[in-house]
Amino acid sequence: MGSGEEAPKGFPKMANPGKATLLALGKAFPHQLVMQEFLVDGFFKNTNCDDPDLRKKLSRLCKTTTVKTRYVVMSEEILKKYPELAIESLPTVKQRLDISRLAGGELYRAKGLGLSPETQRVMLYFMGCSGGVAGLRVAKDIAENNPGSRVLLATSETSIIGFKPPNADRPYDLGSAALFGDGAGAMIIGSNPVLSIERPRFELHSAIQNFLPNSEKKIDGKLTEQGISFKLATELPQIIEDNVEGFCEKFMGIVGLTDKDYNKMFWAVHPGGPAILNRIERRLDLFPEKLNASRRALMDYGNASKKNCVCAGVHDRRKLEEEDREPRRK
């Protein structure tokens, strides 16, 4: 969510001195593309499951997610090398961590990018869907307190850590199979941009966080020897709808906005699922197009957890760039 004010077309975006700005952003995905219409057959084949009731349930879930395509790390080659990943109750967390390179991931990135060994690094683990915005908040503080610095925020997600064969005792696993995707996103953040070579698109004006009391089990993730398991409460969309307006009003008060017309803002909402987006749209009385970037990210990539804010931001960036290319009206 942000101010809808834009500089005139054809002119560079002006940033407030000292404020963190988003200077660049991009995304990347694994090679394995999954078409949602073929997911059920492939998933049950790979896990050697022939339960007709579970198959029907997953088919229904796939139709309600609005997801069309996803990219995943999991592949037939990985299952051939690690067949134990598709077997119930085997301790496989070590294999999953090795495949995902979760431990020490920032070192792999620094080496791959040829960064100096003295580059300062911050690693945020196991933060789920909130990891992307948490990284933005940390990057904003670093950039504003270290003038001249440029912060690379890199996010990555792989659902291989939670891949499991279907089980009637764990119906919530089917929701994960129908919704989650893998990928990576990156942003460069800095203050006082050099306009001759840098093009700031968004200013990170303020950041707030709000924890709802007694909600700690509504999104419940546990790491075990069999990988990670998530349980999402069925009332989660309603909880978000009941609290999103109060959160937005508080944020707007901090920013100094008095006009509560949310349609005057641009939105890059984490697309946790269609029900959540629908509830936000309804409660804030948003025009349907205001959440287009989030809905498109969900349709193209699934719920890619912490990197979805990057995907939605990329769609918003493209929209702004298209507007900049339009002929200026006299």
Side-chain angles (χ1 to χ4, degrees), residues 189-205:
I189 293 130
S191 61
N192 303 321
V194 181
L195 296 181
S196 60
I197 58 174
E198 295 177 320
R199 192 184 186 192
R201 263 308 185 182
F202 304 107
E203 179 181 292
L204 304 181
H205 187 285

Side-chain angles (χ1 to χ4, degrees), residues 102-120:
L102 190 58
E106 82 282 12
L107 293 177
Y108 286 106
R109 293 191 183 97
K111 181 179 179 180
L113 293 171
L115 299 181
S116 166
E118 298 178 355
T119 300
Q120 299 183 44

Side-chain angles (χ1 to χ4, degrees), residues 209-317:
Q209 188 175 26
N210 186 27
F211 175 75
L212 300 177
N214 303 315
S215 66
E216 59 270 18
K217 294 298 182 180
K218 301 304 179 183
I219 303 178
D220 190 17
K222 294 182 178 179
L223 183 63
T224 69
E225 286 293 331
Q226 291 77 43
I228 197 166
S229 295
F230 277 107
K231 292 183 181 179
L232 304 179
T234 56
E235 65 269 26
L236 184 60
Q238 184 64 54
I239 293 173
I240 293 174
E241 181 179 1
D242 292 341
N243 291 275
V244 65
E245 188 168 16
F247 177 84
C248 291
E249 288 179 352
K250 180 179 180 180
F251 180 75
M252 292 171 71
I254 293 174
V255 175
L257 299 176
T258 57
D259 188 347
K260 295 300 193 298
D261 185 353
Y262 299 112
N263 286 299
K264 291 184 178 179
M265 302 177 178
F266 64 82
W267 293 79
V269 178
H270 167 64
I276 291 174
L277 295 178
N278 293 341
R279 297 297 186 97
I280 293 175
E281 183 179 288
R282 182 173 69 184
R283 178 52 62 96
L284 301 181
D285 197 24
L286 295 176
F287 297 147
E289 64 269 19
K290 301 307 291 185
L291 297 184
N292 275 354
S294 297
R295 293 188 188 278
R296 183 60 186 271
L298 179 63
M299 182 175 67
D300 292 346
Y301 316 120
N303 181 339
S305 193
K306 64 182 70 70
K307 73 163 292 293
N308 263 128
C309 63
V310 179
C311 293
V314 168
H315 283 296
D316 265 338
R317 181 202 65 189

Side-chain angles (χ1 to χ4, degrees), residues 55 99 137 145-146 149 196 253 274 304:
R55 176 182 285 270
I99 295 168
R137 189 175 67 247
N145 285 282
N146 296 271
S149 66
S196 60

